[in-house]
Structures are given as structure tokens and as C-alpha cells.
Amino acid sequence: MLARKSIIPEEYVLARIAAENVRQPRYNVRPRQARFIAKNGSCNAAHKNIREQGRFLQDVFTTLVDLKWRYTLIIFTMSFLCSWLLFAMMWWLLAFAHGDLDQDPDPRRGGPAPAPAPEPCVTKVRSFTSAFLFAIEVQVTIGFGGRMITEECAAAITGLIVQTISGLIINAVMLGCIFMKTAQAHRRAETLIFSRHAVVCLRNGKLCFMFRVGDLRKSMIISASVRMQVVKRSSTAEGEVIPLHQIDIAVDNPIESNSIFLVAPLTVSHVLDRRSPLYEMSAGDLQSQNLEVIVILEGVVETTGITTQARTSYISEEILWGYRFVPVVSEEDGTYSVDYSKFGNRVKVATPRCSARELDEKPSILIQTLQKSELSHQNSLRKRSSMRRNNSMRRSTSSLAIPKVQFLTPEASPDVADQ
């Protein structure tokens, strides 16, 4: 009615109705899959409702090492300050009990000459400030020479022994904690890298799950080994639901071991055979599966001798079917050169979309795939040869081209122009 009376333009009303009646897309957005192990190797597990908190105090050293740096530095500083204040109070009480605080060492103050005082327990300790400075000198073994213990008090000698032993214990614990935090094993794991995606393709006529691992440092990882696990939600025959069912999978290695020699980036593979939990998974099932492949690399650091561990994981969205990693190692001038810019690069290859089980039951699928791969390889070779031929023809024509000659006519002189 408003549009008929020209209060609201009719074009605006039609656009408003069309915008309100827009249909929503008919596809379901897949919820983001939760990871058990993050890409950087951290465990994505939150520990809640821990009632026995006192167990952490039974292993104080590990608790201090596991704390964040800011809390560790605060504890490091407060441990020394509190010990200095505690022993400063002890030296002040000793001086007070012995009567060393009543002595007046300043002769410029008037009055009768004081009687000769007995020898103090600690020389020049006449206030809490001087006692605090003496506690620092004893524990840190500075020894400026102004304050020292005499033979007058056996309690002072006992206190010196107690403070010396306590200071050594505090130094050993705190310095050991700082050293362990700086030399933790996961620091070395920062230079152990994994490919961001894993691939599934044919290798020697078998479907293989492959990923790439490399070490950025020249110092080697001794006795390096790789372990792989599949983590997925499963249920038993009795109806028990296992939210994180961990299944070990074997690594393809000719020596039947998980050990690797990590000098250059390696492509680690797992054959999808009958023993593999991925044996019945096809390319279509991969997108709907809620699984996670965990990769664990362990070894001993060559320079420090500390065992290190690097971890990563690949969820179903990060597993690419029908791809292969490109080579990164080449021989140049008698040495092997590693190009890390191609570390995660991959190329698409002909790969059957069926599962490994179907591939074993129907060998014709493999034959067709190999024929297709050979045909695509021949086509690529033909394209490369034709491109090289065209480039060579262009170069030959450019070299045989006749240069253009430009004829210049001399300009007429002014006298000739007047004639």
C-alpha cells in the first residue's frame, strides 16, 4: 500500500523482499576437527580437577623446571633475598644477645670515656643494615674485609657454617634449574621440521602414506628413530567407546627398523598393507574420516647428549591423495646440495582413488593407473621437447634476421633552399 501511494519507491520494496527470501546454501559445514597433537608438537590436552596437588611438591626440581620463565626468575630472586634476610636476622640477634649493639664507636660524642668493651662476635655489626650486608658477604663470598667473625662466640661460628652450607644448596638448586631450562630437549626440536601435509601415492606398486622430515642443523641426531600412530575414535564389540584409540603403524624400512640417518631431508613412508589401519580407506573415505596420524621423532643430540623428541600430526584434511614430494637433494660440484625452499613442494601424480584393499583384489586398477601415468609422462616429455624445439627455432631466426638499414638524406643547405 505504501508503494502504491509512492511513499516508498517500488524498486526498494522489491529489493527488500528479494533480500529477505534468499535461500540458504544446502551444504553442511563440517565442524573443525580437534587435534590431539598440534603441528608444533604440543599436546592438546587440558588436565582438570586434579585433587592431589601435593604430588607436584614431592618433585620440586621438575616443578621448577616446568614453570614459565617469569615464575622461575621470581623464585630465583626471592630464594636469595629471603635467605639473606633470614641470616641477617640471625646475625643481628647474635650481636644483640652479645651486647655488640650497645658499644659506641664514635669518640666525637661527648661524655666520659667508655670502659673497654669485650671483643664482639662480628666486628662492625651494630645495626640490622650492617648485619644484612654481612649476610650477603658470607653467602656470596665477597669478603670486603670490614666485617669478620672473631673467636669470641661459638654460636657465630656455627651460624657461619650453617649459612655457608645453605648457600651452597640454594646455588646448586637454582643454577641447576636455570641450566635445565636453557638446555631442555624441546629446544633442539625447534630445528627438526616436518612437511605441513602428508601425501598418499603409489610407490613400487603399493599405496603409501608419506611425509617428509628434515634437520636444519649440521650437528646430527644420533640413533634417530621415527614412530607413527593413528589416533581415532572407536568402539568395542561390547559398546565401549574409546575416544582416543592409539594404533601403532609400521614404517617402511628395508632393515625392518624405525631408525633413520637424518643427514638430509627424508621422505618416510608407510605401506598401506593388510596390517595397516588405513588399509580399507579410500580417497572418498579420507574426507569423512575423523582420524589423526601422529609422528614422533626421537634421538640423542650429538653436542649435548640429551635425548630430544619432535612431534607433529596430520589430520584427514592435511592428507593429500594423489600427490608426491618433489626432490630436494641434488649433486653440485661433488657435494650434495639441499634446497629447503622445495621442502614441502609436491606434484600431482596418477593414483587410484580406491582403497589399498580394492587395489589388491583388483590388479587391473593398478595396470590402468600405470598406463595412465606412463601416458601422462610421455605427454609431458613431448611438451618439453616441443618447447625446446620452439625456443631453438626462435633463437636461430633471431640470429639470422637481417638488421634494418636506415637511410638518412642530408638536409638542404640554406643557400640551396633560397635558389
Side-chain angles (χ1 to χ4, degrees):
M1 183 182 296
L2 294 175
R4 292 178 182 177
K5 294 181 179 180
S6 300
I7 297 177
I8 299 177
E10 186 175 359
E11 294 81 2
Y12 177 79
V13 176
L14 295 176
R16 179 78 175 274
I17 294 173
E20 292 178 354
N21 295 332
V22 174
R23 291 185 177 182
Q24 297 294 331
R26 295 184 177 180
Y27 58 87
N28 296 326
V29 180
R30 182 182 177 182
R32 185 177 181 84
Q33 179 181 348
R35 313 182 72 106
F36 186 54
I37 299 294
K39 296 298 289 184
N40 58 357
S42 60
C43 298
N44 188 20
H47 301 275
K48 299 181 179 180
N49 301 326
I50 301 177
R51 298 179 180 180
E52 300 181 0
Q53 298 287 345
R55 291 181 176 271
F56 295 98
L57 297 178
Q58 296 178 3
D59 189 6
V60 181
F61 187 78
T62 305
T63 304
L64 292 176
V65 174
D66 290 340
L67 288 176
K68 295 183 179 180
W69 268 107
R70 53 178 177 267
Y71 301 123
T72 303
L73 293 178
I74 291 174
I75 294 174
F76 180 85
T77 305
M78 294 303 299
S79 62
F80 285 101
L81 287 178
C82 292
S83 64
W84 294 339
L85 289 173
L86 177 63
F87 287 105
M89 180 62 67
M90 183 192 70
W91 294 119
W92 184 82
L93 290 176
L94 285 175
F96 177 77
H98 193 259
D100 299 339
L101 303 180
D102 299 333
Q103 299 179 12
D104 188 4
D106 193 357
R108 292 176 296 179
R109 299 179 183 180
E119 188 176 3
C121 293
V122 182
T123 59
K124 296 184 180 181
V125 175
R126 303 180 184 89
S127 62
F128 184 78
T129 304
S130 57
F132 180 74
L133 294 175
F134 180 70
I136 296 176
E137 294 178 14
V138 170
Q139 189 164 335
V140 190
T141 64
I142 297 177
F144 291 114
R147 302 175 183 87
M148 58 183 177
I149 295 178
T150 61
E151 302 176 356
E152 184 69 20
C153 301
I157 299 174
T158 305
L160 175 64
I161 296 174
V162 172
Q163 185 177 2
T164 303
I165 297 175
S166 302
L168 291 176
I169 294 174
I170 294 174
N171 290 339
V173 173
M174 290 292 103
L175 295 179
C177 177
I178 296 297
F179 172 76
M180 290 302 298
K181 284 188 70 68
T182 55
Q184 280 183 341
H186 68 271
R187 304 294 180 185
R188 179 61 176 88
E190 296 294 334
T191 52
L192 297 173
I193 57 175
F194 298 89
S195 58
R196 186 169 185 82
H197 294 86
V199 298
V200 176
C201 65
L202 286 174
R203 174 179 279 189
N204 297 327
K206 297 288 185 179
L207 282 176
C208 296
F209 173 91
M210 293 184 291
F211 64 93
R212 180 167 281 175
V213 61
D215 188 6
L216 299 179
R217 290 187 180 273
K218 291 185 177 180
S219 59
M220 295 176 54
I221 299 295
I222 304 173
S223 301
S225 61
V226 176
R227 293 188 293 111
M228 298 174 62
Q229 287 185 345
V230 172
V231 178
K232 63 179 181 178
R233 184 186 181 92
S234 62
S235 58
T236 61
E238 294 78 14
E240 179 187 0
V241 177
I242 305 176
L244 294 174
H245 187 199
Q246 302 180 17
I247 307 172
D248 289 334
I249 57 179
V251 177
D252 184 22
N253 201 329
I255 60 176
E256 297 182 358
S257 172
N258 294 338
S259 300
I260 59 175
F261 189 52
L262 195 59
V263 179
L266 297 177
T267 301
V268 183
S269 64
H270 161 66
V271 180
L272 304 184
D273 53 8
R274 298 180 183 274
R275 299 174 299 173
S276 173
L278 309 177
Y279 183 62
E280 299 181 357
M281 184 185 66
S282 63
D285 299 335
L286 179 62
Q287 302 302 324
S288 59
Q289 289 285 338
N290 190 7
L291 59 87
E292 181 178 0
V293 180
I294 298 176
V295 179
I296 303 172
L297 172 63
E298 293 180 339
V300 179
V301 182
E302 184 182 19
T303 53
T304 61
I306 300 176
T307 302
T308 185
Q309 185 182 92
R311 301 177 295 268
T312 191
S313 68
Y314 301 98
I315 56 178
S316 56
E317 300 174 356
E318 298 171 348
I319 302 174
L320 305 179
W321 195 286
Y323 286 85
R324 180 187 300 161
F325 290 109
V326 300
V328 295
V329 181
S330 60
E331 187 176 357
E332 297 179 359
D333 299 332
T335 59
Y336 290 98
S337 176
V338 180
D339 187 4
Y340 279 98
S341 63
K342 302 178 182 179
F343 183 80
N345 294 359
R346 54 201 175 273
V347 293
K348 192 172 182 61
V349 294
T351 306
R353 307 287 294 178
C354 62
S355 63
R357 180 177 181 178
E358 296 178 4
L359 190 62
D360 291 342
E361 295 176 353
K362 300 177 182 179
S364 59
I365 301 176
L366 178 60
I367 297 174
Q368 295 176 2
T369 305
L370 294 177
Q371 291 177 354
K372 188 185 299 184
S373 176
E374 183 67 23
L375 183 60
S376 62
H377 181 65
Q378 292 178 0
N379 292 334
S380 62
L381 291 178
R382 291 173 184 173
K383 290 181 180 179
R384 291 179 182 177
S385 60
S386 62
M387 291 177 61
R388 292 175 182 174
R389 192 183 305 109
N390 294 336
N391 293 334
S392 61
M393 291 177 61
R394 290 176 183 175
R395 292 174 183 174
S396 60
T397 52
S398 61
S399 60
L400 296 176
I402 301 175
K404 296 182 179 180
V405 180
Q406 185 177 3
F407 297 94
L408 300 176
T409 58
E411 296 182 357
S413 60
D415 298 337
V416 177
D418 292 337
Q419 293 177 1

